[in-house]
């Protein structure tokens, strides 16, 4: 069976060797074997686990939770419900982040529209009445700050 060194994994998975060493240091890669010279050697199946770690990290899952997840994976089918619950919780966090990003996108779009109008009219006084009305609504408690 072919063995891979840390640089090979770095190239294949697009993650730095520093990151892979760090993951090993904190116990995420406790399966890593070393050859007689002390060089890390990975098997093809290790790529699946490391890719899972990378994907979970990209969802914003903390490394502590990923470590917990990998421990549960190692315990087999008896922990499937716990693992599913972790993914449901992470899904909720990502959903909330998406909602916040959509709100931010609306603000950015409003500003782009403002500058489109300002450029067209050659004046920064565009939307002044809308802004005044919005501010009055905020101060009167009829509007929410966005």
């Amino acid at each position: 069976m072919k063995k891979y060194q840390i640089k090979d994994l770095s190239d294949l998975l697009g993650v730095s060797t520093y990151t892979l060493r760090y993951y090993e240091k904190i116990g995420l890669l406790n399966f890593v074997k070393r050859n007689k010279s002390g060089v890390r050697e990975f098997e093809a199946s290790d790529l699946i686990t490391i890719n899972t770690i990378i994907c979970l990290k990209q969802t914003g899952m903390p490394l502590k939770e990923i470590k917990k997840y990998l421990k549960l994976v190692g315990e087999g089918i008896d922990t499937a419900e716990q693992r599913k619950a972790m993914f449901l919780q992470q899904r909720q966090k990502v959903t909330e982040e998406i909602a916040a990003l959509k709100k931010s996108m609306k603000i950015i779009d409003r500003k782009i529209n403002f500058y489109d109008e300002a450029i067209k009219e050659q004046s920064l006084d565009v939307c002044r009445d809308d802004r005044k009305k919005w501010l009055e609504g905020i101060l009167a408690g009829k509007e929410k700050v966005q």
Side-chain angles (χ1 to χ4, degrees):
M1 184 182 321
K2 181 174 174 160
K3 303 288 183 181
Y4 300 88
Q5 292 187 359
I6 197 165
K7 179 69 173 130
D8 301 324
L9 264 66
S10 174
D11 293 341
L12 287 169
L13 298 173
V15 64
S16 72
T17 57
Y18 171 82
T19 298
L20 293 170
R21 287 185 192 101
Y22 179 72
Y23 287 173
E24 180 185 16
K25 179 180 176 182
I26 64 170
L28 287 174
L29 306 181
N30 56 6
F31 51 84
V32 175
K33 296 174 182 69
R34 294 180 183 256
N35 65 19
K36 292 177 185 177
S37 302
V39 176
R40 293 171 186 87
E41 289 187 332
F42 298 87
E43 297 178 8
S45 61
D46 296 337
L47 273 78
I48 295 169
T49 302
I50 296 168
N51 187 63
T52 299
I53 293 168
I54 293 166
C55 290
L56 293 176
K57 185 71 178 128
Q58 288 173 341
T59 72
M61 185 179 281
L63 292 174
K64 183 178 178 181
E65 288 295 304
I66 295 171
K67 188 173 182 179
K68 179 180 173 182
Y69 171 77
L70 292 175
K71 181 180 182 294
L72 292 172
V73 168
E75 294 175 13
I77 190 65
D78 292 341
T79 63
E81 285 291 332
Q82 288 174 273
R83 288 182 267 159
K84 178 183 175 185
M86 289 179 76
F87 279 103
L88 289 171
Q89 183 178 19
Q90 190 63 24
R91 184 181 197 283
Q92 181 59 38
K93 287 179 186 177
V94 171
T95 299
E96 290 168 6
E97 289 174 19
I98 289 170
L101 287 171
K102 284 182 178 180
K103 186 175 179 181
S104 295
M105 189 62 76
K106 285 182 181 180
I107 292 167
I108 291 168
D109 287 343
R110 280 200 317 260
K111 287 296 186 182
I112 291 170
N113 290 336
F114 167 79
Y115 285 108
D116 282 345
E117 193 64 26
I119 291 166
K120 178 180 161 190
E121 297 294 324
Q122 287 296 297
S123 172
L124 292 175
D125 288 337
V126 297
C127 306
R128 189 170 297 265
D129 292 339
D130 291 340
R131 286 179 170 199
K132 184 177 178 183
K133 182 179 173 183
W134 174 83
L135 181 59
E136 289 170 356
I138 292 289
L139 296 174
K142 296 178 183 176
E143 297 274 341
K144 289 186 179 182
V145 176
Q146 295 184 22

